[in-house]
Amino acid sequence: MRLIQGTLDELGTPLAETDFVVVDLETTGGSPSAAAITEIGAVRVRGGEILGEFQTLVHPGTPIPAFIALLTGITDAMVRDAPVIDAVLPAFFEFARGSVLVAHNAPFDVSFLKDAARQCGYPWPGFTVVDTVHLARQVVTLDEVPNRKLGSLARLFGSPTTPDHRALTDARATVDVLHGLLERVGALGVHSLEELTTFTSRVSPAQRRKRHLAESLPHAPGVYVFRDAHDHVLYVGTSHDLRSRVRTYFTASERRSRMGEMVAIAERVDAIVCQTTLEAQVRELRLIAEHKPRYNRRSRFPERMPWVKLTAEAFPRLSVVHAVRDDGATYVGPFSGRRAAELAVDALHEVFALRQCTRRMGRRGGGGSCVLADMRRCLAPCTQAADDATAEQASVDYAVLVAQVRAVLTGDCRSLAADLRARIGALSAGERFEQAATIRDRLVTLVRGAARAQRLGAFAACPKIVAARRRPEGGWEIVLVRHWRLAGTTVAPRGSDPWPYVEALAATAEVPEPPTLPAPAASAEEAEKVLRWIEADGTRLVEVEGEWSCPVHGAGAERARLEPLAVAAAGAVPFDEPGVVRRGTAPVASSLRHPAAG
């Protein structure tokens, strides 16, 4: 058996040393917006001992409904000379100062107290709140009691006080219920206030006992790594406060069932402290890609992200591949999945009559025509082999077509977008909405992939980029990127000259091998994170080695025009642009050309 001696910080505030103020209210109704408080009763306890009691009637300012008077026994005559809530609240707040508020159905009582404080202009003290109804639902079964009402629980725990809908009496009964509930959760390993406020039956005692795994972690930004008994990586995450974040895995705030399973087999948590948030995010991605932890769902297989390739052969064609090679071909991507890459290929085939067959072909083609050729969806270079002149002309015509496709992928895509927008408009006008939506999805997916390739390709070509951003607490966060891979990062403290830090970073940073463009030297996801950091407001470029540019009429501009329409079509935002035909809940633009675009 492994014995763990927890630190005071790890143990939290012991329940035996915590002051609880058990409060109960009587009101004129069920909602603070339409009712008022008529009585406040409270009992202050610590370690099972009563430290004091508080009770007062409150003038509600309105007549008490007859059924409320019958239920509580509080009449208009009883509250006629009672103080108003403005005079009562300061005294109650003083009585409850430094304590934890406890109530049976706490949201009801606390909502009335907060509303009263707001109306009177008093700031809410920010009490920690414990609800005995919530606790009872976790540890008291319906085999023991018919319900979780205060009277039922008071009888279960042997309270000498019988609730009677008067504030102080009900508060005294709730004290006994609280002590009974604390005894039960204590048997489940709950001994501190922090454990109590996050307690739920969904967290097993074994899971709760593993809070010691966070004991040695620092309150600092970085990456945390869960490992099992065989030192295998189970899960990788990042946080600005490592200890606080890891602790949440052992409380009710962690509701993912797979995380509960992971914690059950975890034996160790390693921490990698990082100077900057960007460094932590990048380290997380690299560790996930390296170890492929089974409890991480995202970023495990960056090598599987597909690209669209325009092959380099006698009669090039489009294909979906998973690696960028130095073979003279043109690549676009990467895409989120194979389906997205196939949609982009379909968008190109909508406009360009490239061959879609996969057989190898020489300059003279060879073979018979296919259905696509009969439909004029393919130039059919395979049929142009009658003589040298015919074959040569077929090769020239196909080369012109390939050049147009390459221009769309690497530069100006306006012609393709205009053509597809026209088709979408024609289909929408003919009420062929499903076909219009299909072409729209193909166009948007292609433009996204091309824009990503153009952005990443341009940046990946830069051997060195140094950027800096001011930190909220002062000083500079400095980042060095080589071929769009984070090569190093450092922090220049407040008041110091940042240039020595820039020079030291340049001298010690990683020097990766130049990548095969347009792929970056890192994963596309890492490149995107670095790019977003550099493009964020407040970031300054210190040094750029090489050329950093994107095509003026490239896919990025077209993406900015199409993205709002794609989001609106997905139903994420309201969409009421002119020229939109709605069918059900998914609008299809009759013309995707934005009015401002001409």
Side-chain angles (χ1 to χ4, degrees):
M1 178 181 294
R2 183 186 179 191
L3 300 178
I4 302 296
Q5 175 62 53
T7 64
L8 290 177
D9 182 53
E10 175 67 21
L11 293 173
T13 305
L15 291 175
E17 299 176 11
T18 300
D19 280 22
F20 294 100
V21 168
V22 182
V23 63
D24 186 82
L25 306 180
E26 301 303 328
T27 66
T28 61
S31 170
S33 61
I37 298 172
T38 59
E39 185 179 27
I40 300 178
V43 180
R44 188 170 186 129
V45 296
R46 183 202 306 144
E49 297 184 4
I50 296 177
L51 304 180
E53 293 183 337
F54 179 97
Q55 188 277 332
T56 181
L57 291 169
V58 181
H59 194 297
T62 59
I64 299 175
F67 77 94
I68 294 292
L70 182 64
L71 177 68
T72 65
I74 301 175
T75 64
D76 290 330
M78 293 173 62
V79 299
R80 182 178 297 116
D81 298 326
V84 295
I85 193 65
D86 303 58
V88 171
L89 272 183
F92 173 73
F93 286 163
E94 181 63 28
F95 177 78
R97 177 187 294 181
S99 70
V100 175
L101 280 190
V102 180
H104 198 70
N105 190 21
F108 174 86
D109 299 274
V110 172
S111 66
F112 271 90
L113 289 171
K114 284 185 174 180
D115 187 73
R118 179 185 60 79
Q119 292 186 24
C120 297
Y122 298 129
W124 178 250
F127 294 108
T128 298
V129 178
V130 172
D131 184 5
T132 51
V133 172
H134 170 75
L135 282 178
R137 286 172 179 162
Q138 309 303 315
V139 296
V140 178
T141 68
L142 292 180
D143 294 333
E144 300 176 275
V145 291
N147 52 56
R148 275 86 176 204
K149 292 181 179 180
L150 181 58
S152 301
L153 294 173
R155 286 191 297 273
L156 174 67
F157 291 115
S159 173
T161 305
T162 300
D164 60 359
H165 295 290
R166 291 300 300 268
L168 184 57
T169 303
D170 288 2
R172 289 168 175 168
T174 305
V175 168
D176 295 327
V177 170
L178 173 66
H179 288 158
L181 293 172
L182 292 181
E183 183 177 349
R184 290 201 175 190
V185 298
L188 298 175
V190 176
H191 303 293
S192 69
L193 177 62
E194 291 75 14
E195 291 171 324
L196 179 66
T197 55
T198 58
F199 174 78
T200 172
S201 59
R202 293 189 301 268
V203 180
S204 66
Q207 184 176 348
R208 195 176 293 110
R209 283 195 296 268
K210 288 197 174 183
R211 293 181 74 237
H212 71 271
L213 295 179
E215 177 185 354
S216 61
L217 303 184
H219 289 289
V223 179
Y224 56 90
V225 181
F226 280 87
R227 296 179 180 270
D228 63 13
H230 303 288
D231 211 33
H232 297 149
V233 175
L234 299 173
Y235 185 79
V236 179
T238 182
S239 175
H240 67 279
D241 187 324
L242 290 169
R243 176 180 287 193
S244 297
R245 177 67 184 98
V246 171
R247 277 180 174 177
T248 65
Y249 286 91
F250 315 113
T251 66
S253 59
E254 180 51 70
R255 299 184 178 183
R256 294 171 291 178
S257 59
R258 61 190 179 89
M259 290 295 102
E261 178 185 322
M262 183 273 294
V263 169
I265 61 177
E267 291 294 332
R268 191 174 91 237
V269 181
D270 295 335
I272 303 173
V273 177
C274 301
Q275 294 194 77
T276 65
T277 301
L278 179 61
E279 179 188 356
Q281 293 173 344
V282 169
R283 284 187 180 274
E284 177 190 28
L285 288 175
R286 293 180 184 177
L287 286 170
I288 292 174
E290 177 185 355
H291 297 285
K292 297 177 173 38
R294 56 175 163 162
Y295 292 99
N296 283 96
R297 288 184 175 176
R298 301 182 59 186
S299 309
R300 290 199 301 167
F301 302 101
E303 67 277 3
R304 295 183 183 178
M305 297 184 72
W307 297 71
V308 171
K309 173 182 179 180
L310 179 62
T311 61
E313 50 187 314
F315 295 100
R317 59 184 177 85
L318 296 168
S319 66
V320 177
V321 298
H322 293 281
V324 176
R325 305 184 186 281
D326 187 12
D327 55 5
T330 301
Y331 293 86
V332 168
F335 292 85
S336 58
R338 188 172 186 86
R339 175 58 180 160
E342 290 172 346
L343 284 176
V345 170
D346 291 341
L348 291 166
H349 284 153
E350 284 284 342
V351 178
F352 301 106
L354 290 172
R355 72 183 182 95
Q356 300 183 36
C357 55
T358 58
R359 61 182 174 178
R360 293 184 176 275
M361 295 177 57
R363 286 293 178 184
R364 290 183 176 272
S369 63
C370 61
V371 175
L372 291 175
D374 296 338
M375 296 171 60
R376 297 187 178 180
R377 297 285 301 275
C378 176
L379 286 185
C382 55
T383 64
Q384 309 298 327
D387 53 53
D388 290 343
T390 304
E392 186 64 29
Q393 184 60 44
S395 179
V396 171
D397 293 343
Y398 200 87
V400 171
L401 182 67
V402 170
Q404 294 173 350
V405 175
R406 186 174 288 110
V408 166
L409 297 179
T410 61
D412 193 344
C413 68
R414 289 177 297 174
S415 60
L416 175 133
D419 194 317
L420 291 182
R421 283 199 301 266
R423 296 191 188 190
I424 293 171
L427 290 169
S428 297
E431 299 188 1
R432 297 163 66 181
F433 302 112
E434 288 80 3
Q435 290 175 273
T438 298
I439 295 178
R440 176 203 63 207
D441 294 343
R442 291 173 178 175
L443 172 59
V444 171
T445 304
L446 171 63
V447 167
R448 285 173 178 168
R452 194 178 198 184
Q454 290 171 12
R455 291 171 73 232
L456 296 184
F459 302 140
C462 294
K464 179 182 177 183
I465 296 176
V466 181
R469 184 193 299 173
R470 283 194 181 276
R471 291 161 56 87
E473 62 271 28
W476 291 88
E477 181 177 335
I478 305 169
V479 163
L480 189 148
V481 182
R482 299 188 192 276
H483 299 295
W484 222 234
R485 178 181 175 88
L486 183 64
T489 180
T490 189
V491 172
R494 181 178 181 178
S496 64
D497 181 1
W499 282 107
Y501 292 88
V502 173
E503 294 170 353
L505 180 62
T508 58
E510 176 189 5
V511 183
E513 290 292 328
T516 301
L517 299 179
S523 69
E525 192 172 356
E526 175 181 332
E528 288 281 7
K529 285 187 180 293
V530 175
L531 177 57
R532 283 195 294 270
W533 189 92
I534 290 181
E535 289 180 339
D537 292 339
T539 302
R540 302 185 185 182
L541 288 177
V542 178
E543 180 182 353
V544 177
E545 182 180 323
E547 180 180 326
W548 182 359
S549 63
C550 286
V552 174
H553 300 297
E558 197 63 38
R559 176 179 181 175
R561 186 180 294 111
L562 294 175
E563 201 72 45
L565 303 178
V567 173
V573 295
F575 188 81
D576 292 304
E577 290 283 349
V580 172
V581 180
R582 288 185 181 272
R583 187 177 188 275
T585 59
V588 176
S590 60
S591 174
L592 282 181
R593 184 180 294 279
H594 194 280

